Amino acid sequence: MKQKDPSTKNQRYLAVFLALTMLLSAGAIFFSGNNSNKDKSDNVSSPGNVEGNDTIAFSQIPGRQVHHEFNSIADGLNLSPEGVVSASYVDLQKTKGTPFEQVFGNETMMYSLYGADVTKRYGARYTDGNGFELHQIPEQKILMPWGAVQYDNYSLLARTNNTYDIWNVVGNPVILGSRQSVQDVIDILEGNATASTEYNNLVNQVSPEGSLYQELAMKTNNSTIPADQFYTDLRKLDDGSYRQTSLYLNPESNFTQKINAMQANSTERGVTYNVTTSGNITKVMITSDFGSLLNETQMLSQ
């Protein structure tokens, strides 16, 4: 019988994992098609000199820039307006050499947007379907925008020629989203609005160090999460195996029973479980080779 190519199997496992964990789509940019801005009357002006023919250095863009720690999903939440229903964070550098490089490490879309590599990404989504992203750009340069407007001494850079409502603010990290969502993030930076705290009970119990991917979400009318809130991260261990750590806030009783049942015979599948409960939070750590871990994730979600 013909053997499946290992890379094909990894691609199948990866596709299953991304579907099951409600990924915020590694290529998706959440933005509003509508423009409900506080300062619509501002004229869009050209930001000035260009570095080469295509890009402009951050240092050439007038106004203030973003300066905020950006090493985990918790850092992204600290810049997110209240009401986040799902969010994800990926360290693209850590995905290199892993099956996730096929999805997260594909920098074509990001490079076409900026003319520079993006090494870290965060995305947040809200109940109305809108949201924003944060991107780390070590080269500190960006493709020449169509124009710029000022908001609270920050330059909002137009990414399209009035075709879509997509804007940037440069810095560490770069903000990307609708004009309103970008302004809302700036309001948090300046202390004029409150950042999301909905997931503090979960993120305060995990260490992001070493994670290549983190995700969280809450139960809504449009989701099938078996708990009020859900957090997961994935990391590659020194011995080449992978570990997925998931936290569930107030998990459903039938889901808890399923976890216990799968843990009971996990060694038969070459998978190691470590399940603990603290108050109303259940923590599940699953360790195995990549394919077995992804297969276990599929069975746990069924």
Side-chain angles (χ1 to χ4, degrees), residues 198-252:
E198 292 94 331
Y199 301 94
N200 284 1
N201 287 339
L202 296 185
V203 297
N204 288 342
Q205 295 196 34
V206 296
S207 172
E209 186 175 354
S211 297
L212 60 88
Y213 174 73
Q214 297 176 276
E215 179 191 357
L216 50 77
M218 66 172 55
K219 182 183 292 185
T220 67
N221 293 333
N222 298 319
S223 68
T224 57
I225 301 172
D228 290 345
Q229 292 183 359
F230 162 81
Y231 165 91
T232 193
D233 67 46
L234 187 75
R235 65 194 68 209
K236 185 176 183 180
L237 305 181
D238 292 339
D239 62 2
S241 62
Y242 289 82
R243 175 175 295 160
Q244 178 179 304
T245 300
S246 301
L247 275 68
Y248 302 90
L249 176 67
N250 295 320
E252 298 172 357

Side-chain angles (χ1 to χ4, degrees), residues 18-64:
L18 298 185
L20 295 174
T21 57
M22 301 162 295
L23 175 67
L24 287 182
S25 177
I29 299 170
F30 297 103
F31 58 87
S32 168
N34 300 317
N35 192 348
S36 56
N37 305 309
K38 302 175 184 177
D39 46 359
K40 290 182 181 179
S41 60
D42 291 348
N43 294 320
V44 177
S45 60
S46 171
N49 297 326
V50 182
E51 181 189 85
N53 294 323
D54 300 316
T55 60
I56 183 170
F58 288 3
S59 60
Q60 293 177 265
I61 298 172
R64 305 179 65 180

Side-chain angles (χ1 to χ4, degrees), residues 164-217:
Y164 297 102
D165 181 23
I166 308 177
W167 300 76
N168 273 133
V169 173
V170 299
N172 295 298
V174 172
I175 310 170
L176 176 71
S178 69
R179 185 169 171 182
Q180 185 62 59
S181 66
V182 169
Q183 292 175 173
D184 290 342
V185 175
I186 291 173
D187 288 342
I188 292 176
L189 272 172
E190 295 304 305
N192 298 320
T194 303
S196 173
T197 59
E198 292 94 331
Y199 301 94
N200 284 1
N201 287 339
L202 296 185
V203 297
N204 288 342
Q205 295 196 34
V206 296
S207 172
E209 186 175 354
S211 297
L212 60 88
Y213 174 73
Q214 297 176 276
E215 179 191 357
L216 50 77

Side-chain angles (χ1 to χ4, degrees), residues 110-179:
M110 290 287 94
Y111 196 92
S112 65
L113 179 65
Y114 292 125
D117 289 334
V118 172
T119 57
K120 298 176 183 178
R121 295 183 65 180
Y122 167 85
R125 185 172 64 86
Y126 294 81
T127 53
D128 59 4
N130 295 328
F132 71 96
E133 287 204 12
L134 302 174
H135 302 143
Q136 189 74 48
I137 304 179
E139 295 175 77
Q140 299 283 287
K141 67 178 183 179
I142 195 171
L143 283 175
M144 185 69 176
W146 286 91
V149 298
Q150 294 295 308
Y151 179 79
D152 205 2
N153 296 320
Y154 291 83
S155 290
L156 276 61
L157 309 180
R159 301 315 308 168
T160 67
N161 188 21
N162 296 320
T163 307
Y164 297 102
D165 181 23
I166 308 177
W167 300 76
N168 273 133
V169 173
V170 299
N172 295 298
V174 172
I175 310 170
L176 176 71
S178 69
R179 185 169 171 182

Side-chain angles (χ1 to χ4, degrees), residues 16 20 254-255 258 262 295-302:
V16 170
L20 295 174
N254 60 340
F255 182 68
K258 186 170 189 177
M262 293 188 67
N295 187 55
E296 197 74 9
T297 302
Q298 180 184 23
M299 291 191 297
L300 191 59
S301 69
Q302 291 176 344

